[in-house]
Amino acid sequence: MTKIRVSTDSTADIPAELVKALQISVLPLTIVVDGKEYLDGVDLEPAEFYKLLETSSEIPATSQVSTQRYSKLYYETWKAGYTHLIHTSINSKGSGTYQAAVLSRELFFEEYPEAKQQLQIELIDSLTYSMLYGWGVVEGARLALDGAKPQQVVDAITDWCRNSRAVFVPLNLKFVRKSGRVSAAAAFVGDAMGLKPAITFENGESKVLTKFRGEKKVVPGLIDMMQKERKPGTPYFLVYGTNQEQYENLQLACAEQMEQAPQLSYSVGNIISINTGPNMIAVIYRR
């Protein structure tokens, strides 16, 4: 009998209630702030982390999910009688987490060769971040609970990862400058001119799609992008940080101009906020 476990890492930004309801296993990355280590999503919720981020003396560092955590996941999945583990990881071009998952799988089957006939471990490199793969994991977990075949679960996750788009707009360029998402020179000019870059991810790399001149242009610009690119009838998501005013403007614009409500809204995850800063808004949708 087929029994599927679906797992991912904390950068998928899946809300806790969905993780629990859909029985998704989430492995945390580690964040280091001023020399102190925190497990992402375990020791720090976003609101707490935003405060640390603004006051830390250096930009926080992150480290991949350890091979020990992967080994524990594989072993517990096998012993619990699952026949398939389908794990989706953060972009391999931005983190060593996917490579750690692959290495851990090799080491696990070397240590427990009998498990190779009983458990299939499917590893998916999302090549992206946040709900750009998190929602695929949610949909895959729903399918698994409904009795879908393993390949159907893999296909659903991969399809969302490859066809969704996020547009993140940092409203302050301090953190994108530090992270290298926008060059120091461009960030300096942008700040001076009031330019707000619209950043997306393509093939695992960050890319500036356009620049909005002034904060007032950001929300109309995001709505225009969604209306032009989004596949009608598909879910979309709103992402926010500390800028409540712009988030409320985005909600209002969606209510007035989009034909359906967002699937959900969520606070930008800790790992992503290191790169965008907490003063941001974003939309995620299927193209």
Side-chain angles (χ1 to χ4, degrees):
M1 179 181 173
T2 300
K3 187 179 179 183
I4 304 171
R5 169 177 271 180
V6 173
S7 63
T8 189
D9 54 63
S10 59
T11 314
D13 291 342
I14 302 172
E17 59 271 19
L18 284 175
V19 168
K20 183 178 180 180
L22 299 173
Q23 301 171 31
I24 301 168
S25 298
V26 179
L27 303 183
L29 276 75
T30 301
I31 302 173
V32 183
V33 185
D34 292 336
K36 185 175 180 180
E37 290 190 355
Y38 301 89
L39 291 178
D40 181 34
V42 177
D43 299 327
L44 279 177
E45 290 302 312
E48 300 171 276
F49 183 66
Y50 300 160
K51 293 177 184 177
L52 279 178
L53 194 56
E54 292 286 10
T55 58
S56 63
S57 57
E58 298 179 350
I59 190 166
T62 62
S63 61
Q64 66 200 44
V65 177
S66 67
T67 54
Q68 290 84 359
R69 287 189 185 278
Y70 274 117
S71 297
K72 183 180 180 183
L73 173 68
Y74 299 161
Y75 182 81
E76 290 178 349
T77 301
W78 173 45
K79 286 300 182 180
Y82 288 93
T83 59
H84 295 76
L85 174 67
I86 299 172
H87 179 82
T88 309
S89 79
I90 181 177
N91 177 19
S92 64
K93 294 184 179 181
S95 169
T97 293
Y98 175 74
Q99 287 83 356
V102 173
L103 174 60
S104 299
R105 180 176 58 182
E106 294 173 3
L107 295 174
F108 173 72
F109 285 134
E110 283 180 13
E111 186 172 358
Y112 304 102
E114 66 274 26
K116 201 162 190 176
Q117 304 304 316
Q118 300 164 2
L119 175 66
Q120 291 187 37
I121 301 174
E122 181 79 34
L123 303 175
I124 301 171
D125 179 3
S126 72
L127 289 175
T128 192
Y129 303 91
S130 193
M131 272 292 189
L132 283 163
Y133 67 102
W135 189 249
V137 172
V138 166
E139 290 294 284
R142 284 201 179 110
L143 286 171
L145 289 175
D146 288 342
K149 294 179 180 179
Q151 192 58 50
Q152 291 175 302
V153 175
V154 171
D155 289 346
I157 296 171
T158 304
D159 180 65
W160 175 260
C161 291
R162 302 298 179 256
N163 292 290
S164 60
R165 163 166 275 179
V167 186
F168 288 88
V169 183
L171 300 171
N172 179 299
L173 301 185
K174 178 174 74 171
F175 290 94
V176 289
R177 180 179 66 244
K178 286 183 177 180
S179 70
R181 299 294 177 190
V182 173
S183 73
F188 177 80
V189 171
D191 272 334
M193 298 181 67
L195 299 177
K196 312 300 179 186
I199 300 172
T200 193
F201 302 101
E202 291 184 359
N203 300 316
E205 305 288 351
S206 62
K207 175 182 177 182
V208 176
L209 288 173
T210 188
K211 299 182 183 73
F212 302 119
R213 188 177 291 276
E215 246 181 62
K216 290 184 178 180
K217 299 286 182 68
V218 172
V219 167
L222 289 176
I223 297 294
D224 183 58
M225 283 185 178
M226 278 207 292
Q227 289 177 327
K228 288 178 178 177
E229 286 195 330
R230 176 176 154 264
K231 184 176 180 180
T234 57
Y236 68 95
F237 308 84
L238 308 184
V239 192
Y240 60 92
T242 56
N243 196 316
Q244 194 65 26
E245 180 183 358
Q246 286 293 1
Y247 171 53
E248 289 173 0
N249 290 341
L250 183 59
Q251 286 180 303
L252 181 61
C254 287
E256 292 176 346
Q257 300 179 55
M258 300 297 290
E259 88 288 358
Q260 68 190 66
Q263 182 73 33
L264 60 83
S265 301
Y266 67 96
S267 301
V268 64
N270 297 340
I271 304 292
I272 302 300
S273 69
I274 293 172
N275 295 284
T276 63
N279 184 8
M280 55 74 68
I281 55 172
V283 293
I284 294 176
Y285 54 91
R286 181 185 177 88
R287 290 190 285 179

